[in-house]
Amino acid sequence: MNPYMFKPAQTIRILLLSIALGLSSGVVWAAYPDKPIKIIIGFPAGGPLDAHIRLLSDKLQSVLGQPVIVDYKAGAGGAVGAQFVMQSPADGYTVLLANTGTMVINPAIYTKSPYDTLKDFQPIARTAQQPLALIVNKDVSANTLKEFVAYAKANPGKLNYGSAGNGGISHLVPEMLKSETGIFMVHIPFKGSAPAFTDLIAGHVQFMAESVPQAANYAKQGKVKALAVTSAKRNPALPNTPTVLETGVANLEVVGFYGILAPKGTPPDVTNKLSQAFKETLESPEIQKKMIEQGADPAYLNADQFTKYLTAEMPRWAKAVKQAGAKLD
């Protein structure tokens, strides 16, 4: 009898033992991903981050072979969503789609930030860059940024500006404009861009600084007036709107960005799989065309590149926060 042959009962015992050993050692047998992936946004539905992921989701699902579910955890300039992901299992099935404010401004503007971007998260991919548009309610008697600054100086304390929440880029940029020009406006924070736009259109706030894709959509409908964009060059989505630098009103150049982050400790193979999926999605000619038409740049960075980018951005924004004098408890 062949000494290396096993009886059926012995074979079953060996297989069961192998499975038990695999489970006890934490081996993951299924290839990632084998179930839906949840993308958390720290703002309400209907805002620019929501529109961004909706544009990518069909292609992303096709690449990953699993459904992509978008969930909203709004509050504190995106910090509520960030904390939720930070505390989630580091398995690649719950990730964060965040913006400049959540990633690099919140840690600088809050005296006690609930998270540290680089210590508590694993950057996965940068997915877009885009400037902001400085916009006003259509009934404001100013058609240029220079006219608006003059109008604000003639009406001190009478103007409000809305933002997507304390600590975000839509909060900081108006503060930077105030610092540059000496105007005064009262900050009204909202729980996201969508409700802020509702009050801007209704005239409850008179001014906003918001991402170009969102702002251009409303400007083209005649619901708001776009006075300037914060990029170095004019934006294709608002070709007739000058840059802030062109207006000569302020030395203000700001480009925001979006990106995907996972909880710290997410396995490298999962990180790479997710990052590559976003790369393939953003390389789609159709998606690139739509993003550019809307005013965004499909500026992909992989996990390592995005980590280095965030490392460089954080001190730059900390300096901007200090110069604008914006601090929150």
Side-chain angles (χ1 to χ4, degrees):
M1 179 178 177
N2 188 337
Y4 297 104
M5 290 182 66
F6 296 99
K7 295 178 181 179
Q10 289 176 304
T11 303
I12 291 170
R13 283 198 296 272
I14 291 168
L15 285 172
L16 289 173
L17 179 61
S18 298
I19 291 169
L21 288 172
L23 290 173
S24 66
S25 63
V27 173
V28 179
W29 295 96
Y32 173 86
D34 68 340
K35 63 181 181 180
I37 295 166
K38 187 179 289 185
I39 296 180
I40 303 298
I41 296 176
F43 300 93
L49 281 170
D50 191 20
H52 177 60
I53 196 59
R54 297 295 176 189
L55 179 61
L56 305 183
S57 59
D58 284 349
K59 176 68 174 176
L60 188 62
Q61 289 179 147
S62 174
V63 173
L64 288 168
Q66 290 291 337
V68 170
I69 300 168
V70 181
D71 196 7
Y72 311 94
K73 306 289 182 186
V80 171
Q83 282 183 279
F84 179 85
V85 173
M86 177 183 73
Q87 295 164 356
S88 297
D91 56 9
Y93 289 103
T94 303
V95 297
L96 178 70
L97 172 59
N99 58 13
T100 312
T102 305
M103 285 183 269
V104 298
I105 298 177
N106 277 356
I109 207 168
Y110 281 98
T111 52
K112 294 180 180 178
S113 177
Y115 57 87
D116 183 302
T117 300
L118 294 174
K119 289 181 180 178
D120 296 324
F121 295 95
Q122 169 58 57
I124 300 294
R126 188 181 71 182
T127 60
Q129 282 190 299
Q130 54 194 17
L132 282 76
L134 307 184
I135 53 180
V136 293
N137 172 273
K138 62 183 178 61
D139 295 326
V140 171
S141 59
N143 295 307
T144 68
L145 187 58
K146 188 170 287 187
E147 289 176 359
F148 178 76
V149 169
Y151 179 77
K153 288 181 176 179
N155 295 276
K158 295 181 181 179
L159 296 179
N160 300 325
Y161 77 88
S163 78
N166 281 320
I169 195 169
S170 59
H171 171 199
L172 185 58
V173 167
E175 291 298 321
M176 294 166 76
L177 181 68
K178 286 167 61 176
S179 178
E180 287 264 341
T181 61
I183 63 174
F184 177 75
M185 296 184 288
V186 177
H187 177 216
I188 309 294
F190 292 83
K191 288 186 176 180
S193 296
F197 265 106
T198 298
D199 271 22
L200 177 69
I201 291 167
H204 301 310
V205 296
Q206 292 73 43
F207 180 90
M208 275 183 68
E210 194 44 82
S211 66
V212 165
Q214 188 96 335
N217 180 41
Y218 288 105
K220 288 170 182 176
Q221 296 176 44
K223 293 181 178 179
V224 300
K225 292 189 285 189
L227 305 182
V229 293
T230 62
S231 49
K233 297 179 180 179
R234 293 195 182 198
N235 191 277
L238 290 168
N240 297 320
T241 302
T243 69
V244 176
L245 299 176
E246 277 183 82
T247 68
V249 169
N251 183 30
L252 188 61
E253 182 184 339
V254 177
V255 178
F257 57 93
Y258 295 162
I260 296 287
L261 303 99
K264 201 71 172 181
T266 300
D269 59 328
V270 172
T271 297
N272 293 335
K273 184 77 177 282
L274 265 177
S275 190
Q276 281 298 117
F278 276 97
K279 180 178 187 289
E280 188 172 337
T281 299
L282 290 163
E283 285 177 345
S284 162
E286 183 182 357
I287 287 174
Q288 289 193 359
K289 182 174 181 290
K290 286 181 179 177
M291 285 181 67
I292 292 167
E293 285 173 351
Q294 292 173 1
D297 175 22
Y300 169 80
L301 291 178
N302 67 27
D304 290 340
Q305 292 167 334
F306 191 28
T307 300
K308 291 174 183 176
Y309 177 82
L310 288 172
T311 302
E313 284 290 293
M314 295 191 79
R316 189 171 79 84
W317 281 100
K319 182 180 178 182
V321 166
K322 186 176 180 181
Q323 288 176 340
K327 272 289 179 184
L328 295 168
D329 294 327

